[in-house]
Amino acid sequence: MQTGLEEQVALYQKRIPIFTRSVKGRFRRFKTSVLVFAYAMFFLLPWLPWARSDAPSQAVLFDLPGRRFLIFGLTVYPQDVLWLALLLFIAAILLFFVTGLVGRAFCGYFCFQTLWTDFFIWIEQKIQGERPARIRLYRQPWDREKVLKVGGTHFAWLLASFWTGMTFAAYFAYAPQLVVDFVTGQAAAAAYITAGVLTVSTYAAAGLMREQICTYVCPYGRFQSVMYEADTLAVHYDARRGEGAHGRASARAGQRALAERHEKGLGDCVDCGLCVQVCPTGIDIRDGLQYKCISCGLCIDACNTIMDSFGYPRGLIRYDSEKNLAAAVPAKPRVEWKRLKTIGYGVALILMTSFLVYSVSTRGSYDRTVNQIRLPLYVVLSNGDIRNRYQIHITNKAGQEQTYVISARGVPAGALDLGSFQEITVKPGHSGTVLASVRLSPELAARTKHFELIITPRGKPAEARSETVRFDSPGRPT
Amino acid sequence: MSEQKLQSQTVQTTGHAWDGDLQEYNNPLPVWWVYTFYVTVAFAIIYWIIYPSWPFGKGWIGGLSSITYVNSDGETKTHSWNTRALLMEKLNKADAEQKPYFDKVASMSYEQIAKDPDMNGFILSAGKALFSDNCAPCHQQGGQGKIGFFPNLTDDDWLYGGTYAKINETITNGRHGYMPTFSEVLSPEQIDDLANYVASLSGIGHDAAKAAAGNTLFHSDTAACYYCHGADAKGRQVIGSANLTDKVWLWADVPGADTAEGKVAAIRTVISNGLNKGVMPTWGGRLSAEQIKVLTVYVHELGGGQ
């Protein structure tokens, strides 16, 4: 056997497995309730029925072939892309705003990587047991028990991953039909590819890579750290209180009561290591704030449990700001929002959200564009009359078929000619084009610079919209 | 050396030393990164097998993936994957997708096509593409033509008639406009008289005395203008002679001249030189009957259809 092989530095760093201990407490409860709420939203939404005349009765349906998103009573068309831009802007500003106030709260409680990892750890714990059992199983040789338990965990993970992928695909097709088609091999190739890719990526990200996604892959975690300020709340270990004059020490006899410890110059930290054991990214918060910390607060719960059991005051690890920790007499931690940056984010958030709500609630039942045909700008007819032509494009955004009537104001009756289409009927979500021509005598043409084209949905005169258009004629400077 | 080794336990190096003291730190890569690298290698190998890759002899290794398409001669060909074959395949597919529409065009009457909103959309897009490819070089992008060269298709004046049937006939068989040269038959004064008369027909400033002489000349057998343009000067669509009484001009650039004299001069030029250039090519052999039908409806919709 080759000697010295053990000392040799490995070329590639192996992931150090993390076995997290489960914990009870405020932040754990909050994290769990966010998880339950988010999962209920994600997994149940595609199955929520919603009566529709021209589409499957599904409350949320991203109808790609029909080029529209059906979201409850709202139909979103590609031309509403501004809404998507607004939504993304709002999401980004919300992230900045929250990060400025309470640090990486998004990472710890709301990010899908956190939620799915949490769920996968829960599965692991249900099958393999609590942390010591899992470590024992990890060190154990590959016997029947280990194969069954580890195999069972991975199988359960794959099932959860598959249903995640399947659910995602169900947003793009009528869910009950999709599941049947999927099983019988009738579904579209895109459905299999989507479900397959998401199964693999969920399994890899939440089951195998876990904290490596947050530390190596995720860009948000990295750029969120630049939004920290001295006032930002983050998970901190109160080192002054924890370490005392002579550092942390276990709670042996003679140094168990707080008074005894303080007398000996020992800190409040009993060095139980529970905060490290519960951390999903495997860090020691007592080393200070670090980039791997996702601010999930589980170490706070763990520490508080220990503090309670010894009868020490809570909050050795807590949400606090750097500023407050450095103060001579730290005050009670609180959210400090009176800063130019956070107020700016807040104002932008309110403005953009109100604009989006306004835009969604006041949109018309149809879109129209009127383009003057500019090749040629005008035509001189055989009797000398001048004719201009216009292309009218109507997109029906309402839920049902609608007929549109087109008329003109500002030109004599009979000047407007709509050719074969006196009115046009457009199916929901579709567009129709009408060519209109307006013919004026040379004298009238010289006087007419603009007139109005009026589009009226039949039976809904209140929704009539007019469009002012140019009328061009020869010999008049444009 | 043993001291160095002890130090290296805090900062790991690869263990090599160059020039005595130059060492390399070992910051290991995460293992998932390495696996990702292996996956890209596997991907590359699979890619070589499926798609064309290496030069080999005078050709190259084609790969397993192949494309079957029908070429312009109607032969079915199978070729290893390349972008040209892919283009052919996509063109085949586009043709197949358009076919139901063209079949529908073939089965419907002109009036039915014009009144069907779906077909109207197809005519506007397919007709525009066909017009741009085949007609726009002469008649211009919007069909507005060019005075002195190519007729305006957007006005209501037609040399040969603007019904669906006539437009189709014109596109299919082409046209050849002709007017004899009068400079050898008539004196410059006579031509001037005729030009004034023609100007008077469409209300352009003219010399009344000359126009009266022109009127007589127009209907006489000396000039015999009435023979083609008709006794009322309104033209005859059977032979494609122009209507001289309307405000639309094709050969004489009357709208382009600023003064009444200039307008009369433009008419005079056409009368003395005649013309032999109103050539519209035949499209019958170049476009399919359905394509011509689409173009017919499109041109009809440009605004001048009768």
Side-chain angles (χ1 to χ4, degrees):
Chain A
M1 210 183 131
Q2 213 177 333
T3 53
L5 201 65
E6 290 82 2
E7 279 113 290
Q8 214 166 32
V9 176
L11 189 53
Y12 303 115
Q13 191 179 44
K14 206 165 186 266
R15 173 178 178 250
I16 301 155
I18 296 168
F19 302 96
T20 59
R21 185 186 283 276
S22 56
V23 64
K24 285 198 174 83
R26 271 194 352 203
F27 296 102
R28 177 66 263 180
R29 268 202 305 282
F30 179 61
K31 203 168 150 87
T32 308
S33 41
V34 171
L35 186 138
V36 169
F37 176 71
Y39 270 38
M41 286 276 284
F42 178 73
F43 286 102
L44 298 180
L45 215 49
W47 299 91
L48 197 65
W50 191 270
R52 263 189 252 278
S53 59
D54 61 324
S57 50
Q58 185 165 324
V60 177
L61 180 66
F62 302 144
D63 179 11
L64 291 189
R67 284 168 177 73
R68 58 187 178 160
F69 287 177
L70 304 162
I71 303 164
F72 298 96
L74 184 71
T75 309
V76 183
Y77 294 105
Q79 55 267 42
D80 298 320
V81 69
L82 178 72
W83 292 352
L84 179 67
L86 278 174
L87 199 64
L88 293 176
F89 183 82
I90 290 167
I93 289 289
L94 185 65
L95 182 74
F96 300 167
F97 182 66
V98 170
T99 307
L101 287 179
V102 292
R104 286 171 65 178
F106 174 74
C107 292
Y109 305 103
F110 302 101
C111 174
F112 44 83
Q113 172 66 17
T114 277
L115 294 180
W116 258 262
T117 304
D118 212 27
F119 179 56
F120 275 41
I121 290 176
W122 180 80
I123 293 176
E124 186 179 280
Q125 188 222 327
K126 284 288 159 219
I127 296 175
Q128 301 181 9
E130 193 49 270
R131 182 171 190 265
R134 300 215 299 273
I135 296 177
R136 209 182 315 120
L137 191 71
Y138 177 72
R139 296 202 176 130
Q140 192 168 313
W142 281 97
D143 57 5
R144 191 183 140 80
E145 190 204 1
K146 184 168 178 175
V147 168
L148 274 179
K149 282 188 171 172
V150 173
T153 308
H154 283 263
F155 180 71
W157 284 353
L158 277 170
L159 270 185
S161 305
F162 171 71
W163 198 245
T164 305
M166 191 71 224
T167 301
F168 186 79
Y171 279 90
F172 296 87
Y174 183 50
Q177 189 59 45
L178 177 75
V179 173
V180 174
D181 287 351
F182 201 92
V183 177
T184 53
Q186 306 282 306
Y192 290 102
I193 294 169
T194 307
V197 167
L198 271 158
T199 303
V200 172
S201 56
T202 309
Y203 172 71
L208 308 179
M209 292 176 73
R210 292 190 180 170
E211 82 287 350
Q212 297 185 92
I213 295 283
C214 308
T215 51
Y216 295 119
V217 183
C218 176
Y220 301 109
R222 294 300 175 89
F223 81 66
Q224 279 183 84
S225 53
V226 307
M227 287 181 267
Y228 272 101
E229 289 173 283
D231 285 311
T232 304
L233 289 187
V235 178
H236 279 288
Y237 166 67
D238 188 345
R240 267 194 300 189
R241 183 187 148 195
E243 306 290 318
H246 300 299
R248 59 183 88 126
S250 63
R252 282 197 305 273
Q255 49 193 48
R256 194 155 297 173
L258 213 50
E260 291 171 335
R261 291 182 76 87
H262 290 171
E263 207 169 292
K264 289 183 174 174
L266 295 175
D268 288 8
C269 176
V270 295
D271 208 9
C272 63
L274 202 64
C275 56
V276 180
Q277 292 179 17
V278 299
C279 180
T281 59
I283 59 171
D284 188 344
I285 191 67
R286 295 171 301 178
D287 294 341
L289 184 63
Q290 47 210 287
Y291 78 98
K292 282 183 176 178
C293 176
I294 57 169
S295 278
C296 65
L298 293 185
C299 52
I300 303 180
D301 282 342
C303 192
N304 283 343
T305 316
I306 297 298
M307 293 292 114
D308 287 353
S309 69
F310 281 101
Y312 301 171
R314 288 182 157 216
L316 178 57
I317 302 174
R318 62 173 182 266
Y319 269 101
D320 208 337
S321 67
E322 255 175 46
K323 202 169 154 190
N324 195 34
L325 276 171
V329 184
K332 203 172 179 301
R334 60 194 195 91
V335 178
E336 196 63 61
W337 60 272
K338 284 180 215 138
R339 274 170 286 146
L340 185 64
K341 206 156 79 173
T342 31
I343 292 171
Y345 287 149
V347 169
L349 200 57
I350 292 165
L351 282 179
M352 288 299 137
T353 311
S354 345
F355 183 44
L356 180 63
V357 170
Y358 172 78
S359 175
V360 170
S361 56
T362 58
R363 78 115 155 242
S365 68
Y366 64 96
D367 251 2
R368 81 280 178 202
T369 48
V370 177
N371 287 317
Q372 189 180 4
I373 293 175
R374 298 184 183 275
L375 279 171
L377 268 179
Y378 57 81
V379 178
V380 180
L381 300 177
S382 50
N383 69 350
D385 282 1
I386 313 296
R387 184 172 63 197
N388 278 211
R389 302 184 75 227
Y390 305 88
Q391 185 165 315
I392 303 166
H393 196 75
I394 299 171
T395 305
N396 181 2
K397 294 210 239 177
Q400 59 284 320
E401 198 171 83
Q402 178 69 53
T403 303
Y404 300 91
V405 183
I406 295 156
S407 56
R409 185 160 53 206
V411 291
L416 178 72
D417 179 11
L418 294 163
S420 319
F421 299 100
Q422 291 309 314
E423 51 190 35
I424 185 162
T425 303
V426 186
K427 291 189 207 115
H430 284 70
S431 300
T433 305
V434 177
L435 292 171
S437 61
V438 172
R439 177 178 185 155
L440 297 178
S441 67
E443 300 76 42
L444 199 52
R447 287 205 306 272
T448 309
K449 282 198 172 115
H450 295 97
F451 69 97
E452 280 177 285
L453 278 170
I454 301 160
I455 301 158
T456 315
R458 195 204 269 159
K460 294 171 186 163
E463 290 179 29
R465 295 283 178 275
S466 70
E467 196 85 29
T468 304
V469 288
R470 285 174 61 89
F471 190 91
D472 283 292
S473 54
R476 200 181 64 209
T478 48
Chain B
M1 196 58 198
S2 64
E3 235 182 85
Q4 270 187 346
K5 227 175 190 178
L6 273 174
Q7 281 173 356
S8 75
Q9 287 192 341
T10 47
V11 183
Q12 292 181 321
T13 70
T14 52
H16 303 287
W18 294 270
D19 296 339
D21 59 350
L22 191 60
Q23 285 185 300
E24 189 184 6
Y25 281 147
N26 182 16
N27 289 320
L29 286 170
V31 82
W32 66 264
W33 195 97
V34 185
Y35 287 133
T36 310
F37 175 67
Y38 291 153
V39 169
T40 62
V41 172
F43 177 84
I45 292 168
I46 295 167
Y47 201 92
W48 289 341
I49 296 168
I50 295 176
Y51 292 105
S53 49
W54 299 102
F56 187 76
K58 284 185 174 173
W60 68 90
I61 294 172
L64 292 178
S65 174
S66 66
I67 291 176
T68 305
Y69 61 89
V70 181
N71 68 11
S72 51
D73 299 329
E75 300 162 13
T76 303
K77 294 220 163 175
T78 300
H79 201 281
S80 65
W81 190 97
N82 67 22
T83 46
R84 180 166 288 271
L86 191 67
L87 172 70
M88 292 304 297
E89 192 197 28
K90 285 189 173 169
L91 287 176
N92 288 167
K93 213 175 135 199
D95 286 347
E97 276 172 6
Q98 282 193 340
K99 197 170 179 298
Y101 281 97
F102 278 110
D103 286 349
K104 228 171 148 186
V105 165
S107 70
M108 290 166 90
S109 76
Y110 291 114
E111 287 75 15
Q112 284 172 328
I113 294 171
K115 285 203 167 73
D116 184 322
D118 282 345
M119 291 314 287
N120 185 48
F122 176 69
I123 296 293
L124 284 178
S125 57
K128 189 175 184 181
L130 282 168
F131 191 88
S132 302
D133 285 353
N134 301 292
C135 318
C138 290
H139 291 286
Q140 309 296 296
Q141 195 60 43
Q144 72 269 37
K146 215 170 167 60
I147 290 185
F149 296 93
F150 314 108
N152 185 340
L153 304 177
T154 67
D155 63 23
D156 59 346
D157 189 35
W158 293 88
L159 291 174
Y160 297 92
T163 60
Y164 287 115
K166 279 290 171 193
I167 295 172
N168 192 315
E169 184 188 302
T170 303
I171 299 173
T172 310
N173 302 327
R175 297 291 185 188
H176 187 172
Y178 173 74
M179 170 160 161
T181 312
F182 284 91
S183 57
E184 291 162 13
V185 187
L186 303 173
S187 70
E189 290 73 30
Q190 285 175 311
I191 291 176
D192 196 37
D193 290 347
L194 274 176
N196 273 285
Y197 171 64
V198 171
S200 75
L201 288 174
S202 31
I204 297 167
H206 56 278
D207 185 325
K210 284 183 182 173
N215 188 355
T216 319
L217 201 54
F218 188 91
H219 295 98
S220 74
D221 281 339
T222 320
C225 304
Y226 76 95
Y227 186 72
C228 285
H229 288 286
D232 55 0
K234 286 193 171 162
R236 289 165 64 195
Q237 292 190 337
V238 182
I239 55 167
S241 60
N243 180 348
L244 303 176
T245 65
D246 64 19
K247 304 266 198 295
V248 174
W249 297 91
L250 170 55
W251 302 116
D253 188 7
V254 173
D258 292 333
T259 59
E261 291 78 41
K263 290 179 194 290
V264 173
I267 300 171
R268 208 160 47 216
T269 310
V270 175
I271 300 174
S272 28
N273 299 342
L275 43 93
N276 192 11
K277 57 185 178 179
V279 179
M280 159 99 179
T282 310
W283 295 93
R286 302 189 229 188
L287 298 175
S288 72
E290 291 80 27
Q291 286 174 319
I292 290 179
K293 200 164 174 182
V294 168
L295 271 176
T296 302
V297 182
Y298 182 78
V299 169
H300 194 268
E301 284 194 1
L302 282 174
Q306 291 167 344

